[in-house]
Amino acid sequence: MFSASQSSKAQFLDKARQAREERRELKERERAAVQIQALVRRFLCRCHLQKEIRREVEDFFGTAEPGASKRSALSVFRIARKLLFVFNHKEDKERFEKLCRCILNSMDVENEPKVWYVSLALSKDLTLLWIKQIKDILWFCCEFLKQLKPDILQDSRLVNLHLTMLVTFTDTSTWKILRGKGETLRPAMNHICANIMGHLNQKGFYSVLQILLTNGLARSRPSLSKGSLTAIFSLALRPVVAAQFSDNLLRSFLIHVMSVPAIMTHLATLTPERLAVMESHDLFRKFITFLSREAQCRDVCVCLEGSHTLCLLGNLVYLGSLNDKVLEEETAHFVGVLIHMLSYCQKYVSQKKSNLTHWHPVLGWFSQTVDYGLNESMPLLTKQLQHLWGVHMIRILFSDVLSKKLLENQEIAQLPTQPVSPQNSLPMKNLFKRAFQKSASVRNILKPVGGKRVDSAEVQKVCSICVLYQTTLTTLTQIRLQILTGLTYLDDLLPKLWAFICELGPQGGLKLFLECLNNDTEESKRLLAMLMLFCDCSRHLITILDDIEVYEEQISFKLEELVTISSFLNSFVFKMIWDGIVENARGETLELFHSVHGWLMVLYERDCRRRFAPEDHWLRKDLKPSVLFQELDKDKKRAQLLLQYIPHVIPHKNRVLLFRNMVTKEKEKLGLVETSSASPHVTHITIRRSRMLEDGYEQLRQLSQNAMKGVIRVKFVNDLGVDEAGIDQDGVFKEFLEEIIKKVFDPALNLFKTTSGDERLYPSPTSYIHENYLQLFEFVGKMLGKAVYEGIVVDVPFASFFLSQLLGHHHSVFYSSVDELPSLDSEFYKNLTSIKRYDGDISDLGLTLSYDEDVMGQLVCHELVPGGKTIPVTNENKISYIHLMAHFRMHTQIKSQTAALISGFRSIIKPEWIRMFSAPELQRLISGDNAEIDLEDLKKHTVYYGGFHGSHRVIIWLWDILANDFSPEERAMFLKFVTSCSRPPLLGFAYLKPPFSIRCVEVSDDQDTGDTLGSVLRGFFTIRKKEPGGRLPTSSTCFNLLKLPNYSKKSILREKLRYAISMNTGFELS
């Protein structure tokens, strides 16, 4: 019973709680319903009110009465208040346009003060309300301007409307109320306008103008009309002028207006009057002065970031090009500002593509998101920047350098004379000495003279300008060539800059710049930037000039100046390497080294192709080859760098010796040299004389790289199928190699062709008619490499351009196909350069970017570029045509053949071994020295057999005949008769393998069984079996052996020997 009463109590309490909850929920629902109803009523009421107001506004603007345009200003003010109260950008766009038009119409009415909207500003009760209203209206105009696209016709009309509103109410000049007696009110009205302008500036007025300008101008063709652009620019200038060019407003103007891509160019094209206004306010000077303060310049750059900083830079450069007077007066500030801005842009320039970089059409890879909307305006920006390296601005900036006159007509007597030494008495030395004296009378800038203080204002100014252009080159990576071309356009800039460099410091030239390398001061960096700019520009100039312009017309530099410059560069680079500066070089120092070294190598390669420097000009007398070789053995870094960068400072013979040492070391490493404990692996091959090339190709092409470098023994099989007698101790292989090379390089085989003129060899473009022609070229490369590897000289004269490719020079960015073209076809080169010099309209010649060639009786058209046969050659593209044609003839046509031959050659000869040689030196390495035969050296290294000896009368006669009776050509024929090559070995006859030998013979070659005791004794004592007068000397070229009968008279020996070498008898195998 107790438990039942407890449970009924609990149920009662639950019911009571539930009832309370329900009542509370009901109240909440009622309150919520009331709140919702209130909100809905409020919303509906607001909507109703808005509809009523909008209807009222429409009714107001919709009245078509004749006097509608003359509505009172007060009625317009009241309807505007209502519209602004309910204003919504999307819904009220058209109503707002009508309001604006109504307000503007009211301002145009004549002699109706009550109609003029601006008249309300004079009402004591309404002034503040009117000011607030016009501020709101003008800001809504700004917001609409941000969204409009000027390239759309409808939008462009609205742009004009809103701009007119802004122009009208930010300046009192068009207010009719201020005319006549109202003039006294102008100061007060101007104050109101300033107040309105200040309000707009606070809200972001300049950002609006920037968006509008960018939308209308950042494209290939501007979509803003002349009127719109004039209005925008006038609006932009008003706050700046009103604030008397305060720093704050100059900053805003620079950041938001002057950073719009190519705005100055558009102003000059569409509305040049605005530029005149800028000039009248001296704005360019004010910009430069403002930005010349480093903190302010950095602030502007940081706000703009990379791309827009470049746009500001372009506009400033363009303005500078229009303001010569200011530019001359403010050169230092102008240059400083440009350097700072370019350096800021440079922070974003990346060396290579990565996931964090973007492509910029002027700066290259760029470590910042690129605004691709600016891409369309990049060509215009580039045109603006081009003024910086245009002739006009260069003349202004470099006026101190260009105003110098190169000293002329100096008396020869004033030149320092050198004491005559045995070296100076040489004909060649005297020739160059006379040339120097002659040239010194024209320009006395051959030697660094010194005398100009490096801390002087003039030097500092020129250094700053050089830093500017050097920074431009390293920042604007994609138009670097344009910049270099612009800087080299004036023929006298570089020679005068060199003369200026020569005057620096107490002694001038080299010493000063070497000291700068060791000083980490700002002054030193600026001086080195000057040297770097000079080197970059000069290298570019010499690269684009052809031989006629360099050697005959001597554009920019006289040849004697190039000699002096190259001597300076050679010493500078040598000192940088030898003093250990390059080893630890980083950043700017390394860039300087590559710049100076690049210019030096362009001059050296030009001199190798066609001499302008005296003999031994490139050698360093203070560098002992023995010291260098010791350091190379110890793996000293500076010795390795010297060999890598400037091997030409080492005498040629020492480099050949070094090459031979490298080969020997590799042979020892590979176990190819016979030692007391081991013999090298020998490869035996059998060759049929009738199928020498085919058998050699089949048997040798399968060999491994090391086997090709090792010992190869050859056994010949004659036409009857019988093995020929003879033991191959390198001699038979030498003959095999010579015969193979003679066959493959025979133009009749059509693997190789000869150049017109000097008949030098290069791969035949039509060699593809051979089956497996690329494998054949690779085989030829291996054979050639083997000959060089073994030191066997072969008489194969290559075309200079082909040797350059063998050395890999054609991969250099400074390589010019046109320069090498004369070595292929001098007549073709003359024809091409005549196109370059053609004064008329080149299109009259009817040329296209293609090359027609007669290939085995069929005319084939090669397009130099895709679609080239339909692209005419014009004055604009004729230089490209010349380079494309030269590149096609020397590279494209024989690209695969050359690549195959180089591949074979490099499988035997490492590329780094031959990089220390120039093209002519490589030819000498292959074919021997082109100097006259040194008979004393030959005599000293000759081995005698068969009873002959150095004092034998026949031997004495032989040497006397060679020395006194034979001409140099006959001596060369004699050497070819015995060794198969008309040129002596590069390092002398001590390096001829096998050694040069002379043997006394009694019988003809087919009866000769070798030396016997009797034959030796008879030869030694000059005892003859019978008079050998009817027999000719013969030779075994594979052993470098001359077989000489024991003649009784000197005259007989002379006659027989001359006949033998002219008939080319011999070449039999002993």
Side-chain angles (χ1 to χ4, degrees):
M1 186 178 172
F2 183 73
S3 59
S5 64
Q6 273 190 334
S7 63
S8 61
K9 185 181 178 181
Q11 286 173 357
F12 175 76
L13 289 173
D14 280 345
K15 284 179 181 177
R17 188 173 64 253
Q18 285 173 7
R20 278 197 308 274
E21 288 289 333
E22 285 171 4
R23 287 194 301 274
R24 190 171 71 245
E25 281 178 16
L26 185 62
K27 284 180 182 179
E28 283 292 327
R29 277 199 297 273
E30 286 174 355
R31 188 166 63 249
V34 170
Q35 201 168 356
I36 290 168
Q37 285 169 3
L39 281 170
V40 169
R41 279 198 302 272
R42 186 169 71 183
F43 173 75
L44 292 172
C45 185
R46 195 165 64 239
C47 286
H48 178 73
L49 179 63
Q50 286 173 349
K51 276 182 186 177
E52 285 295 319
I53 290 173
R54 286 186 176 114
R55 192 180 297 116
E56 190 179 342
V57 169
E58 282 174 4
D59 290 344
F60 181 83
F61 293 125
T63 52
E65 296 170 14
S69 61
K70 293 187 178 182
R71 296 185 187 95
S72 70
L74 188 59
S75 65
V76 173
F77 171 75
R78 284 170 178 162
I79 204 73
R81 281 194 78 183
K82 290 181 177 180
L83 178 61
L84 293 177
F85 178 69
V86 297
F87 186 74
N88 178 283
H89 275 85
K90 285 183 180 178
E91 286 188 43
D92 298 312
K93 186 178 174 185
E94 289 182 13
R95 295 180 189 92
F96 185 76
E97 288 167 28
K98 288 175 182 176
L99 174 65
C100 291
R101 292 188 198 284
C102 181
I103 290 172
L104 290 173
N105 288 338
S106 77
M107 296 295 288
D108 289 336
V109 176
E110 295 289 340
N111 303 319
E112 294 279 356
K114 289 186 178 180
V115 174
W116 296 329
Y117 178 69
V118 78
S119 63
L120 297 174
L122 303 176
S123 166
K124 287 182 182 179
D125 298 332
L126 297 176
T127 303
L128 292 177
L129 290 173
W130 180 85
I131 290 172
K132 183 181 183 310
Q133 187 179 89
I134 195 64
K135 282 180 180 178
D136 290 342
I137 289 172
L138 293 182
W139 182 244
F140 285 139
C141 286
C142 290
E143 291 198 323
F144 277 117
L145 284 172
K146 277 199 284 190
Q147 297 164 7
L148 294 170
K149 304 292 180 192
D151 51 333
I152 300 170
L153 182 62
Q154 190 178 352
D155 279 14
S156 69
R157 289 176 183 155
L158 294 177
V159 166
N160 288 336
L161 172 67
H162 297 310
L163 285 174
T164 309
M165 281 293 292
L166 287 162
V167 168
T168 304
F169 292 101
T170 54
D171 184 75
T172 60
S173 58
T174 59
W175 295 3
K176 293 182 174 65
I177 198 169
L178 300 179
R179 290 177 188 170
K181 293 178 182 179
E183 191 65 41
T184 53
L185 299 171
R186 193 174 292 276
M189 295 295 103
N190 283 341
H191 185 71
I192 288 174
C193 283
N195 186 311
I196 293 167
M197 203 78 243
H199 171 77
L200 293 176
N201 280 337
Q202 281 182 339
K203 298 273 282 184
F205 180 59
Y206 275 113
S207 297
V208 173
L209 295 183
Q210 183 182 19
I211 292 166
L212 183 60
L213 285 167
T214 305
N215 287 341
L217 301 179
R219 53 189 62 245
S220 52
R221 292 183 65 184
S223 57
L224 284 174
S225 65
K226 176 180 177 177
S228 299
L229 188 56
T230 305
I232 296 168
F233 209 75
S234 299
L235 285 167
L237 271 178
R238 277 178 186 174
V240 181
V241 176
Q244 297 182 332
F245 310 100
S246 70
D247 283 356
N248 271 346
L249 283 160
L250 276 175
R251 175 183 179 275
S252 293
F253 192 87
L254 285 165
I255 290 172
H256 297 292
V257 179
M258 290 298 290
S259 67
V260 173
I263 186 170
M264 292 296 113
T265 304
H266 292 301
L267 283 178
T269 309
L270 294 172
T271 172
E273 303 83 17
R274 294 300 96 197
L275 286 179
V277 171
M278 286 185 75
E279 196 173 339
S280 69
H281 289 302
D282 203 11
L283 267 179
F284 175 61
R285 191 194 303 272
K286 290 179 171 67
F287 291 154
I288 295 303
T289 307
F290 174 82
L291 291 168
S292 64
R293 296 190 281 277
E294 195 176 327
Q296 291 175 338
C297 188
R298 190 186 310 113
D299 169 48
V300 169
C301 291
V302 169
C303 288
L304 291 174
E305 293 193 315
S307 288
H308 288 279
T309 300
L310 193 64
C311 295
L312 171 59
L313 184 80
N315 285 317
L316 289 175
V317 167
Y318 186 77
L319 261 187
S321 70
L322 301 175
N323 291 270
D324 292 0
K325 185 172 179 292
V326 178
L327 193 59
E328 287 166 13
E329 293 168 2
E330 300 288 342
T331 298
H333 284 156
F334 177 72
V335 168
V337 167
L338 262 56
I339 290 171
H340 193 96
M341 293 172 79
L342 283 164
S343 301
Y344 182 80
C345 290
Q346 202 174 41
K347 292 177 186 175
Y348 293 98
V349 176
S350 300
Q351 290 301 312
K352 57 187 177 181
K353 182 183 177 184
S354 72
N355 292 335
L356 301 175
T357 57
H358 305 268
W359 179 253
H360 191 285
V362 175
L363 299 164
W365 290 113
F366 197 62
S367 59
Q368 177 199 15
T369 304
V370 175
D371 183 352
Y372 291 106
L374 299 181
N375 276 11
E376 273 191 70
S377 58
M378 280 303 145
L380 278 176
L381 171 60
T382 307
K383 277 189 179 177
Q384 283 189 321
L385 292 170
Q386 282 169 356
H387 288 282
L388 183 57
W389 48 90
V391 172
H392 183 69
M393 199 169 283
I394 285 174
R395 284 195 191 282
I396 294 172
L397 296 182
F398 279 110
S399 56
D400 291 348
V401 173
L402 291 167
S403 62
K404 301 280 180 194
K405 282 195 175 179
L406 295 173
L407 298 176
E408 299 195 4
N409 302 322
Q410 297 291 320
E411 292 296 324
I412 294 174
Q414 291 178 352
L415 292 173
T417 55
Q418 292 184 343
V420 177
S421 65
Q423 276 189 323
N424 284 343
S425 65
L426 290 172
M428 182 58 80
K429 295 278 182 185
N430 280 337
L431 179 69
F432 277 105
K433 190 178 176 186
R434 285 199 301 277
F436 280 158
Q437 288 176 342
K438 182 181 176 186
S439 67
S441 67
V442 181
R443 288 190 188 177
N444 190 21
I445 63 166
L446 294 182
K447 292 188 176 179
V449 288
K452 205 181 278 284
R453 287 179 63 87
V454 294
D455 56 356
S456 67
E458 182 193 3
V459 174
Q460 290 301 310
K461 179 184 172 185
V462 175
C463 283
S464 293
I465 294 161
C466 290
V467 169
L468 165 63
Y469 283 111
Q470 196 55 44
T471 313
T472 308
L473 285 168
T474 51
T475 307
L476 311 181
T477 56
Q478 296 311 297
I479 50 174
R480 180 183 170 87
L481 291 180
Q482 275 187 40
I483 301 165
L484 288 170
T485 304
L487 289 168
T488 55
Y489 188 81
L490 285 176
D491 287 344
D492 57 342
L493 175 62
L494 292 175
K496 287 180 177 178
L497 187 58
W498 170 244
F500 188 85
I501 287 169
C502 289
E503 292 174 359
L504 296 176
Q507 293 154 333
L510 187 65
K511 191 175 180 186
L512 171 71
F513 288 104
L514 286 171
E515 286 172 0
C516 287
L517 284 171
N518 297 313
N519 297 333
D520 196 24
T521 63
E522 199 60 40
E523 187 180 84
S524 297
K525 287 178 181 175
R526 288 152 73 88
L527 284 165
L528 292 172
M530 182 196 296
L531 177 62
M532 194 168 166
L533 182 74
F534 171 73
C535 290
D536 285 344
C537 293
S538 304
R539 176 180 61 191
H540 178 74
L541 176 68
I542 294 295
T543 304
I544 60 177
L545 293 179
D546 58 41
D547 283 0
I548 295 169
E549 291 164 326
V550 172
Y551 292 92
E552 292 162 32
E553 296 173 3
Q554 298 192 23
I555 290 175
S556 281
F557 292 109
K558 303 295 179 196
L559 288 180
E560 298 78 24
E561 290 163 13
L562 291 181
V563 171
T564 316
I565 292 166
S566 59
S567 177
F568 166 86
L569 298 173
N570 210 32
S571 300
F572 189 79
V573 173
F574 173 75
K575 289 284 186 186
M576 279 192 83
I577 293 173
W578 206 243
D579 293 350
I581 296 169
V582 177
E583 287 179 47
N584 308 308
R586 296 284 182 277
E588 290 171 356
T589 309
L590 196 59
E591 284 175 18
L592 171 72
F593 172 76
H594 288 308
S595 182
V596 179
H597 175 258
W599 176 208
L600 171 67
M601 295 315 292
V602 164
L603 286 176
Y604 174 67
E605 283 162 20
R606 178 80 74 161
D607 183 62
C608 289
R609 198 170 61 250
R610 183 173 168 183
R611 292 293 293 274
F612 64 79
E615 205 173 337
D616 297 342
H617 169 75
W618 302 98
L619 301 179
R620 290 291 304 182
K621 302 278 185 347
D622 53 345
L623 176 66
K624 291 182 179 176
S626 56
V627 174
L628 178 71
F629 291 171
Q630 285 171 12
E631 294 210 0
L632 283 170
D633 288 338
K634 294 174 185 174
D635 289 334
K636 288 282 184 74
K637 186 71 176 173
R638 70 174 186 176
Q640 293 170 345
L641 288 171
L642 193 79
L643 204 60
Q644 179 185 343
Y645 286 110
I646 47 169
H648 59 255
V649 300
I650 311 159
H652 178 239
K653 287 204 170 180
N654 293 100
R655 277 179 280 142
V656 177
L657 196 60
L658 185 63
F659 170 75
R660 297 262 45 105
N661 287 345
M662 287 173 173
V663 173
T664 304
K665 279 182 183 175
E666 188 185 77
K667 283 185 173 182
E668 288 170 356
K669 187 179 174 182
L670 296 174
L672 304 177
V673 179
E674 190 149 355
T675 61
S676 54
S677 57
S679 294
H681 172 73
V682 177
T683 303
H684 293 276
I685 60 171
T686 302
I687 303 294
R688 292 170 289 177
R689 277 199 180 270
S690 58
R691 293 180 58 82
M692 193 179 291
L693 177 58
E694 294 85 345
D695 288 355
Y697 170 69
E698 284 301 325
Q699 294 187 53
L700 292 178
R701 75 186 181 94
Q702 307 291 348
L703 293 183
S704 66
Q705 191 172 310
N706 287 353
M708 274 298 292
K709 291 179 179 181
V711 180
I712 299 172
R713 295 280 181 238
V714 177
K715 180 174 279 294
F716 279 122
V717 175
N718 65 18
D719 293 344
L720 300 172
V722 178
D723 290 355
E724 292 186 4
I727 302 164
D728 184 2
Q729 291 297 327
D730 295 333
V732 180
F733 178 73
K734 175 177 177 282
E735 185 196 3
F736 163 71
L737 193 61
E738 287 166 350
E739 287 297 317
I740 281 275
I741 284 173
K742 196 195 309 182
K743 283 181 187 292
V744 294
F745 286 107
D746 183 355
L749 188 63
N750 195 35
L751 275 178
F752 287 83
K753 277 181 80 170
T754 54
T755 60
S756 59
D758 54 1
E759 296 195 340
R760 292 184 162 266
L761 294 159
Y762 70 98
S764 168
T766 55
S767 54
Y768 56 79
I769 60 171
H770 291 279
E771 192 180 353
N772 301 327
Y773 73 105
L774 292 180
Q775 288 92 325
L776 266 173
F777 272 103
E778 189 175 358
F779 171 68
V780 172
K782 287 180 179 178
M783 291 293 96
L784 192 63
K786 179 68 173 172
V788 174
Y789 194 77
E790 300 297 346
I792 299 169
V793 289
V794 287
D795 206 352
V796 184
F798 285 114
S800 173
F801 80 89
F802 179 69
L803 289 166
S804 295
Q805 294 184 40
L806 206 55
L807 288 166
H809 288 172
H810 59 299
H811 293 307
S812 166
V813 291
F814 308 113
Y815 178 81
S816 170
S817 300
V818 176
D819 290 340
E820 293 275 17
L821 189 57
S823 68
L824 171 67
D825 190 335
S826 55
E827 198 60 36
F828 188 69
Y829 171 74
K830 283 178 188 173
N831 293 339
L832 275 185
T833 49
S834 68
I835 291 173
K836 180 179 177 180
R837 288 168 173 73
Y838 188 72
D839 292 331
D841 186 356
I842 205 79
S843 58
D844 294 343
L845 302 181
L847 298 169
T848 60
L849 294 182
S850 60
Y851 173 60
D852 294 330
E853 184 187 23
D854 184 357
V855 180
M856 294 178 286
Q858 189 176 357
L859 192 67
V860 177
C861 177
H862 303 282
E863 292 190 326
L864 303 178
V865 294
K869 63 184 176 186
T870 61
I871 303 172
V873 177
T874 62
N875 287 346
E876 286 71 37
N877 67 8
K878 66 181 181 181
I879 300 297
S880 296
Y881 169 72
I882 291 165
H883 282 272
L884 286 167
M885 185 67 87
H887 188 267
F888 176 79
R889 287 289 308 274
M890 294 190 297
H891 298 273
T892 311
Q893 268 196 315
I894 56 171
K895 186 178 180 181
S896 54
Q897 293 93 322
T898 304
L901 188 142
I902 290 173
S903 170
F905 184 78
R906 288 183 177 175
S907 68
I908 309 294
I909 303 293
K910 291 181 179 177
E912 57 268 25
W913 290 352
I914 57 168
R915 280 200 194 116
M916 54 182 165
F917 301 108
S918 64
E921 288 170 341
L922 179 60
Q923 182 65 67
R924 288 164 67 189
L925 192 68
I926 294 167
S927 300
D929 210 331
N930 51 9
E932 273 202 39
I933 296 164
D934 185 347
L935 286 175
E936 288 302 316
D937 183 45
L938 179 59
K939 193 190 299 185
K940 186 178 171 183
H941 296 100
T942 298
V943 180
Y944 301 101
Y945 299 104
F948 277 163
H949 50 86
S951 303
H952 195 287
R953 69 175 187 178
V954 175
I955 300 302
I956 292 169
W957 290 343
L958 174 68
W959 296 124
D960 186 56
I961 289 166
L962 288 170
N964 301 315
D965 297 341
F966 274 22
S967 65
E969 291 76 20
E970 287 177 317
R971 286 195 283 275
M973 287 166 65
F974 167 76
L975 189 63
K976 184 165 186 173
F977 175 74
V978 182
T979 66
S980 82
C981 187
S982 58
R983 296 179 178 185
L986 272 180
L987 299 174
F989 287 99
Y991 287 83
L992 185 65
K993 301 290 183 206
F996 191 90
S997 313
I998 304 175
R999 178 166 163 251
C1000 178
V1001 292
E1002 297 178 316
V1003 292
S1004 61
D1005 283 339
D1006 54 350
Q1007 297 171 325
D1008 188 8
T1009 56
D1011 288 342
T1012 63
L1013 181 60
S1015 69
V1016 171
L1017 288 172
R1018 282 193 293 277
F1020 188 83
F1021 294 110
T1022 323
I1023 303 167
R1024 288 181 294 277
K1025 282 184 172 180
K1026 61 180 179 179
E1027 175 59 50
R1031 288 188 27 242
L1032 293 171
T1034 57
S1035 66
S1036 288
T1037 56
C1038 54
F1039 291 112
N1040 299 326
L1041 173 65
L1042 173 66
K1043 298 176 182 179
L1044 200 59
N1046 197 344
Y1047 293 114
S1048 58
K1049 291 180 182 177
K1050 182 181 179 183
S1051 58
I1052 297 172
L1053 170 59
R1054 185 191 308 111
E1055 178 195 337
K1056 298 296 182 186
L1057 185 60
R1058 186 170 270 147
Y1059 182 78
I1061 64 172
S1062 62
M1063 295 301 292
N1064 208 18
T1065 59
F1067 298 98
E1068 295 89 1
L1069 177 69
S1070 290

